[in-house]
Amino acid sequence: MIPRINGNVQMRDGVICIPNPITIRNDFTEKAVHAFSERAAESGFQSETAENGFISIVKNEVLEKEAYVLSIRKEGIRVEASGEQGVIWALTTLQKKIGQNGSVQAETVTDAPRAVHRGLHLDVARHFFDAGEVKRIIEQMSLAKMNVLHWHLSDDQGWRIESKRFPKLHETSADYYTQEEIRDVAAYAGERGVEVIPEIDMPGHTRGILAAYPEYSCSGKKTGLAKAGGVYRRILCAGADKTYKFLEELLDEICPLFPSERFHIGGDEAPKAEWKSCPACGAKMKEQGITSYEDLQGYFSVQIAEILKKHGKRPILWNDSLESRIRPKDMQMQYWSVDYNKPSAEYIAQGGQWIYSDMFELYLDYPHAMTSVKKMYENQIDLGSCAYDAKNSPLGYEACVWTEQITTVEELEKRIFPRMYVAAELAWCGAGDYEEFEDRLRDEMKETEKRGISITPYKDWNPEGQKRQQEASAFMAAMHAKPSDEEKGEVAESSEMGEDFQKKLLSRFFQEEGKCEAFY
Ligand code: ACM
Ligand code: ZN
């Protein structure tokens, strides 16, 4: 089973047969047992509520937020937890332990995660994946006890949320989720213990917005959706008051779709070229006494954070945002790039909350040649003591899937599986012996395949030698392909960096194997 129990398993005598129907007494809301009942039904077991249920689910306020105790005895099964997520994880463990014949070993399991944030980031802007596929991935996450889907819903290549207030947004991008679908996905995730955090990346990576409403860029000139990956010069104007008014109306519409108390506002890779020649940006800096363009981005983020606060939400920002000395007070930082190393270290030293998503270790769109199963498993960071309110605390791990080069569901799933399970294990219980983990991972992938999910075959988990070099080089070349003539003037970096840059980046991937990047 993955993740491994992060506590105790006390074996008892006997094997218990699960009755059909399964009767349940539940101190929590129906939401806590909903996924269990659905999964049981798929295996032919009905479930119903009963005062003296075979499964008894009781509140134990002493337990930590997601912790649980699961006692499997002849007389019945008892689940103790302080919150709904604890119940969901207990029932997930139970379900994984029940054999084909409907029986389960008597035992008592005490379990709790080491990290409060166990996430998967999914980019649906570069390539769109429909709500059904997003739900399929959420179900796999829940079975791995992961608790955050970070849903990257806008970028230079597309905007993916139906907007009744600004309909040109979704009309321009064509593929999008209706508001009803978004609410449905968030509710489905909630029943599986998964928080859905939306990301509207800004002020950079915003051609998805500006293709529909170019008036919110510095020049106001017409632009289109980006046709390739990379970093683009066209970004939101941080000087014009109308930009903030637009974003406020937009966020007022979007925030209520998501129950999460967090909202990712991106902040990565925002080139400042357009701001430098913009009278409105210049005037805003003068008005606010801002002396650098990085700080202007900080000012922008603070304005957005104020809008989120109205909706009871706090912002998450990629670590590039720390280049600014002006920052939202209640932010969380998501660390992805060593290129912004120094401010990250200072932020962490000052007690800032952060999520670990190092691109060299946790980017699942990179091929196994660059981020193998073994490498991921062996690069474990020290999480220290974890709680949302803990000082100086990494909240946990988030694996990221960017989709510049992923166009099909099969390819998407193969990139995610099995490697999402590595992140799940690191975040729940931490790494142990690789060989032992690999055996469990192979078993887990057999079960995953039975659910119709495409997985990377075992032979390709840890490529070696020439095969590996070729696979990695081919990916890098495609990632940094030259932009079309039409797009050339729009591209700021990355796609224009050439072969030397690709080689340098590749050598970093290969060198950094087997050791965790120490940046803090
Ligand atoms: C990122 O990969 N630009 C967060
Ligand atoms: Zn401007």
Side-chain angles (χ1 to χ4, degrees):
M1 182 163 63
I2 294 178
R4 183 168 34 80
I5 302 297
N6 188 38
N8 282 309
V9 180
Q10 194 184 350
M11 300 282 275
R12 299 186 186 279
D13 287 340
V15 171
I16 283 98
C17 264
I18 303 294
N20 196 359
I22 308 171
T23 52
I24 304 173
R25 191 202 95 119
N26 179 15
D27 277 359
F28 294 80
T29 65
E30 200 273 335
K31 187 176 151 200
V33 297
H34 191 89
F36 174 81
S37 300
E38 270 188 12
R39 291 169 191 158
E42 277 164 26
S43 323
F45 282 85
Q46 297 314 307
S47 47
E48 54 191 49
T49 349
E51 197 42 48
N52 279 318
F54 181 75
I55 299 180
S56 175
I57 301 169
V58 297
K59 246 189 193 146
N60 179 347
E61 302 287 1
V62 172
L63 292 172
E64 295 266 339
K65 190 167 172 257
E66 295 184 87
Y68 66 88
V69 180
L70 168 68
S71 305
I72 306 168
R73 294 162 188 260
K74 279 205 188 61
E75 315 80 80
I77 292 170
R78 184 180 165 90
V79 170
E80 289 173 45
S82 61
E84 272 169 357
Q85 278 174 309
V87 176
I88 293 168
W89 307 140
L91 295 173
T92 302
T93 298
L94 173 64
Q95 228 140 15
K96 286 191 166 193
K97 282 178 177 277
I98 298 174
Q100 293 286 347
N101 58 359
S103 66
V104 59
Q105 170 70 43
E107 60 188 17
T108 297
V109 177
T110 311
D111 197 10
R114 75 192 271 260
V116 294
H117 188 110
R118 307 180 300 281
L120 180 74
H121 161 283
L122 178 64
D123 169 10
V124 293
R126 269 55 178 272
H127 285 103
F128 181 73
F129 296 92
D130 68 21
E133 180 57 17
V134 176
K135 283 162 91 170
R136 257 156 71 87
I137 291 170
I138 289 170
E139 170 67 348
Q140 311 318 308
M141 291 175 64
S142 176
L143 289 165
K145 301 192 174 92
M146 293 185 83
N147 66 355
V148 174
L149 175 75
H150 168 176
W151 206 1
H152 189 84
L153 287 155
S154 73
D155 213 297
D156 294 308
Q157 296 76 5
W159 169 273
R160 305 301 178 200
I161 307 172
E162 177 195 22
S163 172
K164 298 186 202 294
R165 177 70 189 83
F166 299 105
K168 276 195 277 178
L169 284 171
H170 65 261
E171 286 164 10
T172 304
S173 288
D175 288 323
Y176 63 91
Y177 307 102
T178 64
Q179 296 196 355
E180 197 181 331
E181 282 177 312
I182 287 175
R183 284 204 181 89
D184 178 55
V185 166
Y188 178 90
E191 284 160 358
R192 282 157 181 78
V194 177
E195 169 189 1
V196 176
I197 301 178
E199 179 183 350
I200 306 299
D201 202 346
M202 54 189 146
H205 287 285
T206 38
R207 277 177 66 188
I209 295 174
L210 296 171
Y213 297 98
E215 58 268 39
Y216 303 117
S217 70
C218 292
S219 69
K221 282 192 196 139
K222 196 169 173 298
T223 186
L225 297 172
K227 295 194 177 61
V231 175
Y232 292 91
R233 288 199 181 99
R234 186 63 57 86
I235 70 173
L236 290 168
C237 175
D241 290 335
K242 67 178 180 185
T243 309
Y244 296 103
K245 188 165 175 296
F246 162 72
L247 292 171
E248 178 158 20
E249 282 185 46
L250 184 59
L251 290 170
D252 284 350
E253 184 184 9
I254 291 170
C255 280
L257 302 176
F258 299 91
S260 172
E261 288 172 4
R262 297 186 282 174
F263 198 110
H264 206 302
I265 56 173
D268 59 321
E269 300 177 318
K272 309 295 187 292
E274 295 198 337
W275 288 2
K276 288 179 186 167
S277 56
C278 169
C281 285
K284 181 62 77 182
M285 287 170 77
K286 212 162 161 202
E287 172 198 304
Q288 296 295 325
I290 293 169
T291 53
S292 78
Y293 290 96
E294 297 304 337
D295 284 354
L296 180 58
Q297 182 172 338
Y299 169 83
F300 173 90
S301 303
V302 168
Q303 306 315 300
I304 306 305
E306 285 300 315
I307 300 168
L308 296 178
K309 204 188 265 175
K310 273 198 317 186
H311 296 279
K313 295 181 195 285
R314 63 191 295 195
I316 309 179
L317 291 127
W318 295 108
N319 66 306
D320 322 34
S321 307
L322 298 178
E323 297 282 320
S324 163
R325 288 161 304 167
I326 302 169
R327 298 166 190 170
K329 277 198 184 61
D330 58 346
M331 69 173 277
Q332 293 180 346
M333 176 271 273
Q334 184 164 12
Y335 175 84
W336 73 280
S337 172
V338 73
D339 295 336
Y340 309 101
N341 183 340
K342 193 160 171 282
S344 297
E346 285 166 6
Y347 167 88
I348 290 164
Q350 285 159 16
Q353 294 191 343
W354 59 291
I355 299 150
Y356 188 70
S357 293
D358 191 305
M359 64 183 280
F360 291 100
E361 291 155 33
L362 288 166
Y363 272 23
L364 302 188
D365 47 314
Y366 292 133
H368 287 69
M370 285 149 74
T371 304
S372 69
V373 170
K374 192 162 194 278
K375 170 181 159 180
M376 270 184 83
Y377 187 73
E378 289 178 346
N379 283 343
Q380 173 174 278
I381 57 161
D382 176 9
L383 288 177
S385 77
C386 259
Y388 277 118
D389 55 357
K391 280 266 169 206
N392 207 12
S393 168
L395 299 171
Y397 287 81
E398 193 173 292
C400 299
V401 194
W402 300 94
T403 57
E404 286 100 325
Q405 294 195 59
I406 301 176
T407 56
T408 67
V409 164
E410 185 188 350
E411 186 58 28
L412 177 71
E413 292 180 353
K414 282 184 162 174
R415 296 280 164 154
I416 298 177
F417 303 101
R419 289 181 295 179
M420 186 196 82
Y421 269 89
V422 184
E425 176 97 346
L426 292 174
W428 185 275
C429 59
D433 174 61
Y434 176 73
E435 307 295 327
E436 185 274 335
F437 170 71
E438 198 185 82
D439 283 348
R440 278 187 289 123
L441 189 58
R442 292 181 77 167
D443 288 344
E444 198 71 57
M445 285 307 100
K446 281 184 203 141
E447 296 305 313
T448 306
E449 260 189 312
K450 282 187 205 158
R451 296 192 289 273
I453 303 289
S454 301
I455 61 161
T456 293
Y458 174 65
K459 68 175 176 46
D460 297 329
W461 288 6
N462 298 304
E464 303 268 0
Q466 229 188 6
K467 178 171 182 285
R468 179 171 176 224
Q469 287 284 350
Q470 280 166 356
E471 195 182 315
S473 303
F475 178 84
M476 272 293 161
M479 191 77 161
H480 300 285
K482 290 227 175 330
S484 64
D485 288 346
E486 185 195 342
E487 297 248 283
K488 223 177 161 103
E490 298 270 11
V491 175
E493 54 190 66
S494 186
S495 337
E496 284 176 336
M497 286 180 177
E499 236 170 84
D500 276 359
F501 173 74
Q502 292 168 34
K503 283 203 181 112
K504 233 158 85 183
L505 201 57
L506 264 188
S507 79
R508 266 168 76 180
F509 264 93
F510 291 165
Q511 264 167 29
E512 276 154 17
E513 216 148 282
K515 71 176 165 67
C516 181
E517 209 155 83
F519 68 93
Y520 66 96

